[in-house]
Structure formats: structure tokens, C-alpha cells
Amino acid sequence: MHSHVGRLGAAGLAAMLLAPLSHAQVTTVEQVQDKELATLKAELAAQRELVNKLMLELQAQQAKIERIEDRRDTPQPALADAVALPPRANDLLLSEQRGTGGQNNGAPAVAVNNAPANQQARPPSTPGPIGGPAPAQPGARGPAQAQQTNATRNERDQRPPEVAPLFEAPGVLTPRGKYILEPSMQFGYSSSNRVALVGYTVIPALLIGLVDVREVKRNTFTGALTARTGLNNRMEVEVKLPYVYRSDATVSREIFTGTAVERVFETRGKAIGDVEVAGRYQLNNGGPDKPYYIGGLRYKSTTGRSPFEVVTDCQTRCIGDNVTGTGLPLSLPTGSGFHSLQGSLTWLFPSDPAVFFGNISYLHNFKQSGITRLVRNGEREPLGELAPGGIIGFNFGMGLALNEKASLSLGYDHSTVARMKQNGITVPGSVRTQLGTLLLGYSYRLSDKRSLNVAVGAGVTRDTPDVSLTVRVPFSF
């Protein structure tokens, strides 16, 4: 009994002695766990702060990319902005800038989008910071604005890229709501020599008669004001108002006179030219490595001074055996005197980093009846019905972007002019004429709404002007 009581007492004493020690151990474990939990919370807070910072930077970069995409219809940003973007954004920006040219006729630069036409090019929106409200993003848009912007971008992605302009018709259409006002100046110079033998030969070395030698120098200045606007992103209309100044100098010997003295016949003319109205429509949705097709229709009026309204240096008949005078006009015409209608088809093929382009056209001159020519003594010489020959033309070339502001184009233009008919009969001496010109064009963007376009042409056939120089400064509104 006493031994049992003793064991119980010893056990109770041991329990009393071990209880504080066990409580101390439990307290130490809880403290360690609390400390570790606090450390984990601190690390989580630091990581959350870092993630939030990265999300803010990512949203800022996304806003910059969105602004770049929204400015696709304006000149491209500087290359320094591209360096500041993440690698994916750099690739996107560089792919937009290659092969787009600088500006064509002042129209905003349009980059070729590698995404399909019905797919939005903007990257998906990034979520807000973890554990907090999403901060306001620069350039954030409401749903209605975003939908309108996406629709505009999809339409713009379907438009062809731009090249430095070489020819009369621009390759890129004016976007809807945009207006282009394009003053231009064109200079052309040509010279020709003609030798005519009027008589007969006894032997090849002996001529009995006259030798008619004429050397003609022609200078033509054409100032024009062109206005165009886009009815939608696929169609534009254009009006061109030209003013022409011409001067000719002819060194010749008067026909059917016995003198050997050469004379210089100078004449000039200046007046409004033939006003033109044109429309162009994009026929398909092109894309990278897919061609764009643009149809055009141009009408040329007879507002300029007609060749049949200027006085000709003839005192009697100018056609026939009794010719008196040089047969040259005393003042030069500034128009063709015939109504014309031209249909054309233009194609553009983007192939990074270049853009290939070409055009085929046909110009029909409408015939006129009852035409008379005014001679020097005030009389009218009847000419009857005149039907100028039609003109078949084609051209092709390549455009290359040098940087985000400048572009260069090379091309060739060729036209075939058919023979002219009078009263249903081909005019004697009228032949089919071939006109070929090599062209070099350069474009530089001066500002967001203004650019400078220069094109130089060199004639490669005898009937083509020796040199032509065209300067355009389009303004966009």
C-alpha cells in the first residue's frame, strides 16, 4: 500500500516537474512558426510589389504599342521609340516600316499588317496588379471607342502600302475623311531635228530642189493644284486644275523660198490647261505577298486653249501646194482640243522590304467634226472631222523604304500613240509613235501632314521629252 502510494507520488512529482518544460517547447515551436510565417508574408509582399511594378511597365509598353498601331495612318515614329520597346514590339514596328515608303501624295503612311484582315492586330489587354485595383492605362479607350478603332484598323490593314510616286495616278487611296491638297510643278524639255528633201536627185550625190532643215527646242512648265478625298477606305475622287506655260524656238528655212538664210521662229503660250476629274477604287483585299488591284477612270476636259484656236503662220492655204509662211502657230496651245477618257488598272505587290507596282491603261480621244483652223489673215481653213489616235500605256517599277521618313522608287513608263485620222482617212505622214521614259522618284516626309516628292524622267525614244522634272508637296487635312 505504502509502496503504491509512493509510486503515485513520484509520478505526480515528475509530471509537475516536466509540465513547464513541455509548455516551453510548445511555445518555442509556435514562435518559430510565427517567425517563418512572417518571413513568408514579407517575401510575398515583396514579390507582389515587384509583380505590380512589372505589370505597370508592361501596361505602359502596351499603351505605347497601341499608340504606334493607331498612328499607322500617320508617319511612322522615330527609330528611337522602337529601341525603347520590348523585342516583340520592335519586330512589329520594323515589320510595319519596311517597304512602306515615306508618303505618296501626302496620304498617311500605311504599313502592311501581317495579321489577317479580319483579325485585330492589337495584343490582348494585360490584367491589373495582383492584390489591388487596376491602374488607369495611358490611352485607355471605352468599349465604343475601341470597337470603332478596331474597325478602322481592319479597314486600313486592307489598304496597300505606299511608294514614292512616279506617275500621275497615286498607288495608295486617300483614307475616308482625309483631304489631300497637292500643289505641283512640272518641267519638260525636248529637242528634235528634221531634215526634209524637197526636190529630186539626178545622182545620189546631186539634189535639185530645196533642203528643209528644222531644229525645235521646246520648254514646258505646268503648275497644277490637285485636290483629292476618300469617299471611303476603298474609293477616292480627284480634281486637277493645271496652268501651262510653253515656249518653242524653231530654227528653220522658210519652205519654197530660194534663200539659204536660216531664221529663228519663237512662240509662247500660257493659259489654263485641261481640267481633269478622276476616281479610283480598290478592287480586292491584298496583304503580305498578295497583290492589290486598283481600278481608275479619268476624264480630261477641253478647258485649255485648243490648237485650232491659235493663229497659224499661213497667209493662204496651209495644206496643199500654195503654202506661204512657216505653218507654225504664232501662239502655243495649252490644251489638246479633244475630250478624253482613260481607264486604268494598277497593281501593287508588297514583298518585304520592297513594293512592286505596275499599271496598264487606255486613253480614248473622242473625235470632233466641223473643225477649222485659224490662219494669219483671219480666215478659217476647214479641216473636217479629226479623230486622234488612242493611247495604250503601261508602266512598272519598285519602291523601297530607306528609313521611316524617306523612300525611293524606280520605274519605266511606256505609251503607244495610234495614228490620227482626218475625215476617216489616216493623215499622210502620221505614224504610230512610241514614248518611253525612265523614272526615278524620291519622297521625304517633312512633317506629319506634309511631304516632298520629286520625280525625274529621262526619255529613251526620240519622240519622248529629253528630260522631265516633277516636284509635288502634298498637304493632308
Side-chain angles (χ1 to χ4, degrees):
M1 178 68 179
H2 290 288
S3 62
H4 181 70
V5 173
R7 287 196 296 271
L8 290 176
L13 181 60
M16 293 177 60
L17 293 175
L18 294 175
L21 180 60
S22 175
H23 179 71
Q25 291 177 352
V26 172
T27 303
T28 303
V29 172
E30 292 179 352
Q31 291 177 351
V32 171
Q33 291 177 350
D34 291 342
K35 187 176 181 180
E36 292 179 352
L37 182 60
T39 302
L40 292 176
K41 289 182 177 180
E43 293 178 355
L44 181 60
Q47 292 178 358
R48 178 178 298 171
E49 182 179 359
L50 178 60
V51 170
N52 290 340
K53 183 178 179 180
L54 293 176
M55 295 299 294
L56 292 176
E57 293 180 357
L58 181 59
Q59 290 170 353
Q61 299 294 348
Q62 179 191 353
K64 183 177 293 186
I65 295 174
E66 291 176 353
R67 290 195 298 272
I68 292 174
E69 292 180 352
D70 292 339
R71 291 199 300 268
R72 280 182 176 176
D73 55 350
T74 58
Q76 300 291 344
L79 190 58
D81 295 336
V83 177
L85 298 176
R88 174 58 182 167
N90 278 329
D91 295 341
L92 176 62
L93 179 58
L94 291 178
S95 66
E96 292 175 355
Q97 290 180 348
R98 286 197 293 262
T100 60
Q103 60 18 356
N104 177 30
N105 309 296
V110 179
V112 178
N113 191 355
N114 292 328
N118 58 356
Q119 179 180 346
Q120 298 179 5
R122 181 177 302 174
S125 301
T126 55
I130 300 176
Q137 300 183 17
R141 301 175 179 83
Q145 290 178 323
Q147 184 177 4
Q148 183 178 3
T149 302
N150 292 336
T152 303
R153 180 179 298 109
N154 289 337
E155 292 179 356
R156 185 169 60 245
D157 292 342
Q158 298 173 1
R159 297 172 61 238
E162 292 195 26
V163 293
L166 291 178
F167 315 112
E168 289 295 330
V172 177
L173 305 183
T174 306
R176 179 178 53 189
K178 293 287 185 178
Y179 296 90
I180 305 296
L181 188 63
E182 181 184 276
S184 63
M185 175 63 70
Q186 184 179 48
F187 166 73
Y189 171 79
S190 63
S191 62
S192 61
N193 297 322
R194 191 192 75 172
V195 179
L197 306 180
V198 184
Y200 62 94
T201 58
V202 178
I203 58 175
L206 178 61
L207 170 69
I208 300 177
L210 298 175
V211 178
D212 179 26
V213 180
R214 295 191 181 189
E215 182 181 3
V216 182
K217 310 290 185 182
R218 293 187 174 92
N219 296 273
T220 304
F221 295 87
T222 304
L225 184 63
T226 304
R228 66 177 66 96
T229 184
L231 302 181
N232 52 51
N233 276 19
R234 282 180 171 268
M235 184 175 183
E236 73 171 8
V237 292
E238 174 187 283
V239 177
K240 182 177 180 180
L241 178 64
Y243 187 86
V244 181
Y245 172 80
R246 298 178 55 189
S247 65
D248 286 6
T250 304
V251 181
S252 64
R253 178 186 304 155
E254 196 166 338
I255 301 178
F256 297 123
T257 59
T259 178
V261 177
E262 294 182 343
R263 56 174 296 186
V264 177
F265 184 86
E266 293 185 343
T267 182
R268 294 178 175 83
K270 56 180 180 179
I272 188 174
D274 293 336
V275 176
E276 300 178 6
V277 179
R280 285 176 286 273
Y281 182 79
Q282 182 178 328
L283 302 177
N284 72 319
N285 297 329
D289 295 326
K290 295 181 180 179
Y292 296 83
Y293 296 99
I294 300 174
L297 189 64
R298 178 184 296 269
Y299 166 73
K300 185 185 69 64
S301 66
T302 58
T303 55
R305 183 182 299 171
S306 171
F308 312 110
E309 296 299 326
V310 298
V311 180
T312 305
D313 184 23
C314 298
Q315 293 181 353
T316 56
R317 290 181 56 83
C318 295
I319 299 178
D321 297 333
N322 299 322
V323 178
T324 303
T326 62
L328 300 174
L330 297 179
S331 61
L332 295 177
T334 59
S336 66
F338 296 91
H339 295 274
S340 302
L341 189 64
Q342 182 186 46
S344 64
L345 177 64
T346 302
W347 63 273
L348 296 97
F349 184 80
S351 179
D352 193 22
V355 177
F356 300 93
F357 53 88
N359 175 277
I360 57 174
S361 64
Y362 176 76
L363 185 143
H364 176 74
N365 292 301
F366 295 93
K367 63 182 179 180
Q368 293 190 24
S369 302
I371 295 180
T372 60
R373 178 165 57 177
L374 182 63
V375 296
R376 192 164 190 171
N377 56 7
E379 296 181 358
R380 286 280 183 177
E381 178 186 1
L383 299 178
E385 181 186 80
L386 292 180
I391 301 176
I392 301 174
F394 69 90
N395 56 60
F396 58 88
M398 179 192 70
L400 181 65
L402 303 179
N403 52 44
E404 68 275 10
K405 288 187 176 182
S407 63
L408 182 69
S409 294
L410 302 172
Y412 174 77
D413 183 77
H414 193 95
S415 298
T416 300
V417 184
R419 304 174 67 180
M420 186 174 186
K421 293 184 177 181
Q422 181 179 13
N423 298 322
I425 302 174
T426 302
V427 176
S430 176
V431 296
R432 184 175 296 273
T433 305
Q434 305 292 337
L435 306 176
T437 306
L438 288 176
L439 293 163
L440 172 65
Y442 176 76
S443 177
Y444 186 82
R445 176 171 61 85
L446 301 175
S447 65
D448 291 345
K449 297 183 178 298
R450 183 180 59 178
S451 58
L452 174 66
N453 304 324
V454 180
V456 180
V460 296
T461 59
R462 299 181 64 89
D463 299 306
T464 311
D466 298 335
V467 64
S468 61
L469 175 64
T470 305
V471 180
R472 302 183 181 97
V473 185
F475 297 83
S476 62
F477 301 93

